[in-house]
Amino acid sequence: MPAPPTATSTDSARLPLAGLSGVGARTAEKLAARGLVTLQDLWLQLPRQYEDRTRIAPIRGLQPGRPVQVEGVVEAVERGFRYRPMLRVALGDDSRATLVLRFFHFRPAQVAQFRVGARVRCYGTPRPGQHGLEIVHPSYRVLGGDEPAGLGDSLDPVYPQVEGVGTATMRRLIAQALERLPGDAALELLPAEVAAARGLPTLREALLTVHRPPPEADLQALLAGTHPAQRRLALEELLAHHLSLRRQRIALQRHGARPFDVPGALAGRLCDALPFALTAAQRRVFEQVRDDLGRPVPMLRLVQGDVGSGKTVVAALAALLAVEAGAQVALMAPTELLAEQHLVNFRAWLEPLGVRVGWLAGKVGGRARTRTLAQIAAGEVQVVVGTHALMQEGVQFSTLGLAIVDEQHRFGVHQRLALRDKGATGGRVPHQLVMTATPIPRTLAMTAYADLDVSAIDELPPGRAPVRTVVLSAERRPELIERIRGACAEGRQAYWVCTLIDEDATRPSPATRGGPPGDVVAQAAQSTFEALGKALPELRVGLVHGRMKPADKQLAMRRFKEGGIDLLVATTVIEVGVDVPNASLMIIENAERLGLSQLHQLRGRVGRGSAASSCVLLYQPPLSQMARQRLATMRATGDGFVIAQKDLELRGPGELLGTRQTGLAAFRLADLARDADLLPAVHAIGEQLLAGAPRVADRLIERWIGGAARYAAA
Ligand code: ADP
Ligand code: MG
């Protein structure tokens, strides 16, 4: 750790919480379990929300979902025991409307408090109930007699819950910690002009304001997260995260990598053999990759390209540079279906050039696995295609020089790092090429992927007709039978996607692995498959879902690709990467349940050939507001960037990116969508600090991310 500028800042910042009054060993332990160990941790334990108790809202006109403070007189009390104990209290006020307070857990003393005629002030979020709006478990206070109870004159901070430490205790502890906040000189890490130039307060002022907003503070701005004090903190937090990712990159690039300084003869031969010419965008991105690969530092490059933009062939060309230089290549895909498709492509493209392509997936076992592992270890296979299985223990490469990760949004950043570590030998690490079809706005990419260089294949191969998208209520399902019949009569193929929930069994989340949901979808797919088979007896109907054996799945896919199946009934297992250019009709059931990026991916399975394609989004009414907007967006545009932007607005970046797949840890306060305008400054200041004041950079990372920063280990 670099020396701090003054003793005071460290002294109080690092002070253990046991020094605060009211913190015994047990409380300290509970706080520590949430990473709250020092005073500084409490300073940065920022309110997630505020409760506005400065006013009382009339009951008439309450909006569901919006938290409010209400005051009224108890009109009726009802205790019920139908299924479980329940207490309902009807409150009325001068607006002559009634609100129900509902409790499921309560003590006899509480019941006694709610006498008809008693005056109650409460705070909570009204929701639609059986008899109008109700608040479940409000925080409340029974007011005594006629004595007027004053209103608060500031917002009350709501802190993230810490198990075993109550709301009031948390507020008291943080208030105590703030008493010991040092002066600006000891606390400030950013150059003074950074905040001043933007009209933002110092860190000290900002912390005091967000924890205890003064009465004159702009309440609306605080509630919206746009108050200058919050922006000051967001700026510093974003900066810390940006620096942390840049640090990881710098640390990694301190290792050398093997430069592939080759003429590119193999890549040239593949280009000559392809039945199409590369697009200008593919050529440009390949040149960038080639440039990186020619250097003795590891490439860290993300290739973004909309679905169908032709990322695979760029990956194959990159692989050939490595092979020509005598190194091995690993290509990892998130699903077996996609990995197997890559295997087919890579074999077709590379084997005629004398390159040996191997296969390693979870289901490869027994003797085949032992043999493959031996060939990989001996360097006899030059390119290995597979799934997560590539990262398992026991997989030992001879000279891994390039790791390619496809559809990287499906992997966690840790998995990417693990594959990289496979190839670390003699202080050198493999080059990394990661590909994604989730296009994200540029400034966002610069933050979320600050450890990577980003290239974009921003052009589709010529001759692609845009996919016509229609949105239909599920009642009109029967009409689709004719539509499918028509398309297949012209020699085209169709997908029918059953989507209740995501069921990709290879996704590394326990929530989606195994268990009943996948079975439910598999069953839905099975019965749809049978129904469509009956309705369309002249067609060859196939089925693929996550509960089938991998070999059966692959057989169905292969037959579909070869044209032996006209209509493929599938689940979302076909979401990523599947490429059957002759398919021109895609029907997605329960489209209202899917997110925009998933819909875009699924729709990307058609429109890959020159035939006019269409996509039908079937929905189950009634549609929520969000679902309506998503479907309207899908109908309005096929542009992945526009869709990603809309997704960002609708869902926020947390969900769009998922913290799993970026290097970003969860933010305390910053919000990439709301604070996007700060990002250019974050990048500029970040580069300045790395170049001129690396110790300050370290301290910022330590302050905001602390032990979570993994850069030291990279
Ligand atoms: P994605 O970027 O979604 O991974 P793919 O690499 O699967 O896209 O490519 C989609 C389809 O386009 C494939 O059938 C591929 O062979 C084809 N393709 C790739 N590049 C070109 C090109 N320059 N011209 C015509 N077709 C191409
Ligand atoms: Mg792809």
Side-chain angles (χ1 to χ4, degrees), residues 652-711:
E655 285 196 64
L656 175 61
L657 296 168
T659 47
R660 277 205 305 121
Q661 44 136 340
T662 69
L664 296 177
F667 291 120
R668 295 166 188 269
L669 165 132
D671 177 315
L672 285 172
R674 185 188 65 208
D675 304 321
D677 64 309
L678 293 173
L679 294 177
V682 165
H683 303 149
I685 303 165
E687 296 314 301
Q688 264 172 35
L689 288 179
L690 284 176
R695 300 196 139 201
V696 174
D698 287 337
R699 297 190 56 209
L700 279 166
I701 296 169
E702 202 263 345
R703 172 183 282 173
W704 287 90
I705 306 171
R710 296 181 348 269
Y711 68 91

Side-chain angles (χ1 to χ4, degrees), residues 276-279 282 306-312 461 464 579 581 608:
F276 48 75
L278 295 184
T279 63
Q282 283 171 317
D306 210 345
V307 286
S309 62
K311 295 182 288 292
T312 319
R464 296 269 170 88
D579 182 41
R608 302 187 146 238

Side-chain angles (χ1 to χ4, degrees), residues 48-65:
R48 265 188 304 114
Q49 257 305 331
Y50 293 95
E51 289 177 355
D52 183 359
R53 288 193 170 85
T54 62
R55 30 182 235 109
I56 287 174
I59 291 177
R60 184 174 301 283
L62 289 185
Q63 308 251 358

Side-chain angles (χ1 to χ4, degrees), residues 243-587:
L243 288 169
S244 158
L245 283 175
R246 299 298 290 172
R247 267 294 148 95
Q248 291 182 36
R249 178 188 171 87
I250 292 166
L252 183 72
Q253 294 201 321
R254 268 197 212 112
H255 301 277
R258 170 168 180 169
F260 305 147
D261 195 7
V262 291
L266 287 175
R269 282 170 60 198
L270 173 58
C271 281
D272 292 343
L274 287 172
F276 48 75
L278 295 184
T279 63
Q282 283 171 317
R283 273 202 307 271
R284 189 187 64 239
V285 170
F286 175 56
E287 284 312 319
Q288 287 166 348
V289 169
R290 185 180 175 151
D291 216 53
D292 291 347
L293 293 177
R295 295 168 204 240
V297 281
M299 169 172 81
L300 290 165
R301 187 169 288 278
L302 173 74
V303 172
Q304 282 189 15
D306 210 345
V307 286
S309 62
K311 295 182 288 292
T312 319
V313 72
V314 173
L317 292 167
L320 286 175
L321 294 177
V323 170
E324 191 169 329
Q328 283 176 304
V329 179
L331 167 59
M332 182 169 78
T335 65
E336 290 220 14
L337 275 185
L338 182 51
E340 138 111 3
Q341 182 181 290
H342 283 325
L343 179 72
V344 170
N345 280 329
F346 272 55
R347 285 208 162 128
W349 289 336
L350 307 194
E351 285 183 350
L353 306 173
V355 178
R356 285 177 307 278
V357 180
W359 167 247
L360 195 67
K363 298 298 185 295
V364 178
R367 218 174 296 157
R369 183 181 160 85
T370 317
R371 195 176 54 234
T372 307
L373 289 181
Q375 287 171 338
I376 295 172
E380 284 162 25
V381 281
Q382 292 142 298
V383 177
V384 189
V385 178
T387 58
H388 305 82
L390 285 175
M391 295 177 312
Q392 281 160 6
E393 273 178 55
V395 184
Q396 189 76 49
F397 289 85
S398 144
T399 50
L400 182 62
L402 170 64
I404 304 174
V405 180
D406 191 20
E407 301 296 354
Q408 88 109 26
H409 62 289
R410 289 297 205 87
F411 290 105
V413 68
H414 300 282
Q415 293 168 300
R416 176 156 65 80
L417 296 179
L419 184 57
R420 177 202 77 200
D421 293 339
K422 284 267 170 220
T425 41
R428 296 203 295 190
V429 297
H431 297 282
Q432 290 178 63
L433 177 63
V434 297
M435 306 194 286
T436 181
T438 307
I440 57 173
R442 193 180 138 72
T443 42
L444 192 51
M446 284 174 69
T447 305
Y449 300 122
D451 57 335
L452 300 169
D453 295 308
V454 180
S455 300
I457 305 186
D458 48 8
E459 173 186 10
L460 292 180
R464 296 269 170 88
V467 179
R468 214 172 76 85
T469 300
V470 288
V471 177
L472 288 186
S473 155
E475 295 151 23
R476 298 178 58 187
R477 205 175 137 140
E479 295 171 27
L480 293 173
I481 304 293
E482 287 317 308
R483 227 181 157 125
I484 296 171
R485 188 170 278 141
C488 296
E490 289 171 19
R492 306 254 93 85
Q493 290 162 282
Y495 294 96
W496 184 295
V497 182
C498 301
T499 62
L500 288 173
I501 31 102
D502 175 64
E503 58 124 30
D504 182 349
T506 63
R507 208 179 263 218
S509 128
T512 53
R513 190 191 302 149
D519 291 330
V520 174
V521 203
Q523 261 163 32
Q526 178 71 37
S527 50
T528 304
F529 165 71
E530 286 161 15
L532 288 171
K534 281 205 193 90
L536 293 159
E538 76 277 28
L539 296 187
R540 294 160 301 172
V541 185
L543 174 67
V544 47
H545 62 67
R547 290 292 170 276
M548 285 163 58
K549 290 205 192 87
D552 294 341
K553 262 192 280 189
Q554 283 155 17
L555 183 67
M557 279 319 298
R558 209 171 305 144
R559 285 188 51 217
F560 188 57
K561 186 149 193 167
E562 288 161 358
I565 288 176
D566 304 300
L567 170 63
L568 185 68
V569 178
T571 58
T572 50
V573 289
I574 61 149
E575 175 187 338
V576 287
V578 169
D579 182 41
V580 179
N582 190 49
S584 67
L585 174 60
M586 157 79 52
I587 293 158

